[in-house]
Amino acid sequence: MKFYPYKRLNRPIALRVTSASLKLPDGSRDHLDTSAYSTQQRTVALGVAQHEDWVSARIGLSATLPPGANDPDAPWSELRVLAVLTDGETNVRTAVDLRQDAPGSKEWSGDIEVFRDEHVGRAALAAHAVATVDDVPGRAIAETDDDWTVDVSAEEPLGGLRLDVKQASFTKSSREWLHTYSDVPWIVDASGRVPTVLVNTDIEGFSDLLGGESGGIESKVHEMLVSQMATDVWTAVFHSSVGDLEVEPDGSPVFPTDWQGEVLREMLPDVVPGVHVEEALRQVHRRRTGDAGWVELQTRIHYAAVRRAGASKALANALRALQQMNRGDKA
């Protein structure tokens, strides 16, 4: 633990990647889709588009300062928020100022340029808030507590929701609450430190199919089952995350600082599109605790879960394998 001889904010900065694009040798720019970065894994994979000759990457960023940053009686002035990219292998350090979205806002945004020739592997991306405190300029008053990783060659951001998968006999488990669900293949428990998927071993052959590495149509069925399971997980953890939000004195909901906050930041752009995540969270909170609008939002929540679970890709792969198998039978 570090101690500072001056006042600081007591919560970390929440940093998110909002976009990524590559500048190619001909000057054109390839705008990467959201599969290039994972909020859960806090990783950007710049090799996703398989351009080996890209010149630089522009990464869009959004940072949220913790409560109290803009209080009128805050013991600091000349507040700045910096995004800092550090590469320990090449000893390159790049820092850029982020812009405050509106006067008095806790939201800051901007972008940072990553030059391909300056990096060989992975670099760490963080955000720092600095200000003048006790007449001393440039003092750090907050920072991110978990850096992002920018990987210049990886083709996927090690993506996916971090969760724990456990197998159990639902009829014989010491968790008596599982007995009620003995006829379902899995249950999502989102009440713990990380989401847990409990797989029912009472369903004959199901565990083997989930854990198998066989090829052919079995592997495609496996992929579909995993994507369906992931859809259930994303849906469950979203509802869990919005179910018990901390609220500020003015009634505004506060993002959780653990995995629940990361789930919300990743899903909200699809649940309430076209607005900043802070406003999206306020709208979801109002609908959940108000008189109307919560039921209508369920379709958007399901859509966001399906996208992150990769269900469309899994279905397409299964259909393709079935078509190939049918053609083989007819030959």
Side-chain angles (χ1 to χ4, degrees):
M1 178 181 294
K2 294 182 179 179
F3 295 93
Y4 298 85
Y6 57 88
K7 294 288 186 179
R8 283 171 43 94
L9 292 164
N10 58 11
R11 290 188 180 182
I13 299 172
L15 179 65
R16 299 167 300 284
V17 169
T18 58
S19 65
S21 64
L22 299 179
K23 183 179 180 181
L24 305 180
D26 62 1
S28 63
R29 190 165 290 276
D30 185 0
H31 295 274
L32 307 180
D33 62 28
T34 55
S35 65
Y37 48 91
S38 168
T39 302
Q40 277 295 316
Q41 296 295 329
R42 305 185 71 78
T43 300
V44 183
L46 296 177
V48 66
Q50 298 184 341
H51 293 296
E52 296 184 358
D53 56 349
W54 57 274
V55 177
S56 64
R58 182 175 299 162
I59 299 175
L61 302 171
S62 177
T64 303
L65 298 188
N70 301 310
D71 286 354
D73 57 350
W76 48 73
S77 60
E78 300 176 313
L79 178 63
R80 298 170 61 195
V81 179
L82 304 173
V84 181
L85 183 72
T86 306
D87 191 323
E89 292 189 61
T90 59
N91 204 29
V92 170
R93 182 181 175 90
T94 304
V96 297
D97 277 280
L98 301 182
R99 303 175 300 275
Q100 194 172 22
D101 289 359
S105 173
K106 293 183 297 184
E107 305 300 323
W108 296 64
S109 58
D111 50 66
I112 192 166
E113 203 80 12
V114 182
F115 292 94
R116 183 66 181 89
D117 291 343
E118 295 180 350
H119 304 277
V120 295
R122 293 180 156 205
L125 180 62
H128 300 263
V130 298
T132 297
V133 187
D134 298 334
D135 297 323
V136 179
R139 280 183 157 173
I141 63 169
E143 56 278 316
T144 47
D145 63 353
D146 191 5
D147 294 349
W148 278 72
T149 296
V150 178
D151 194 316
V152 299
S153 58
E155 295 183 9
E156 58 179 312
L158 306 176
L161 180 65
R162 290 192 294 269
L163 50 89
D164 189 13
V165 179
K166 296 180 178 179
Q167 298 190 12
S169 167
F170 284 17
T171 58
K172 302 175 183 177
S173 175
S174 58
R175 301 180 179 93
E176 293 187 0
W177 61 270
L178 280 178
H179 299 175
T180 305
Y181 307 107
S182 60
D183 59 340
V184 299
W186 66 79
I187 283 289
V188 179
D189 181 5
S191 62
R193 185 178 57 85
V194 295
T196 300
V197 179
L198 297 167
V199 175
N200 189 359
T201 58
D202 295 331
I203 298 180
E204 185 177 355
F206 182 59
S207 296
D208 293 337
L209 183 59
L210 283 178
E213 298 294 336
S214 60
I217 191 63
E218 289 83 1
S219 68
K220 305 308 177 185
V221 174
H222 164 93
E223 186 179 355
M224 284 189 63
L225 284 172
V226 170
S227 70
Q228 180 59 57
M229 187 181 296
T231 299
D232 290 350
V233 171
W234 279 106
T235 304
V237 297
F238 183 88
H239 283 279
S240 172
S241 300
V242 299
D244 190 23
L245 291 171
E246 182 182 344
V247 179
E248 293 190 88
D250 64 357
S252 298
V254 178
F255 274 99
T257 57
D258 56 6
W259 62 266
Q260 292 181 323
E262 300 302 332
V263 164
L264 292 176
R265 293 184 188 281
E266 184 148 345
M267 293 184 70
L268 282 171
D270 282 330
V271 176
V272 186
V275 301
H276 197 277
V277 289
E278 296 285 335
E279 173 58 25
L281 183 62
R282 285 191 287 268
Q283 291 189 27
V284 169
H285 181 66
R286 284 196 299 268
R287 293 192 185 194
R288 193 187 68 83
T289 59
D291 296 329
W294 181 238
V295 173
E296 290 78 7
L297 206 60
Q298 300 311 302
T299 300
R300 298 294 312 185
I301 295 172
H302 180 71
Y303 167 71
V306 168
R307 285 196 64 193
R308 271 139 197 86
S312 297
K313 179 180 178 181
L315 177 61
N317 289 341
L319 292 174
R320 190 178 302 113
L322 284 172
Q323 291 170 352
Q324 292 173 349
M325 185 174 66
N326 289 336
R327 285 197 295 267
D329 291 341
K330 295 177 180 178

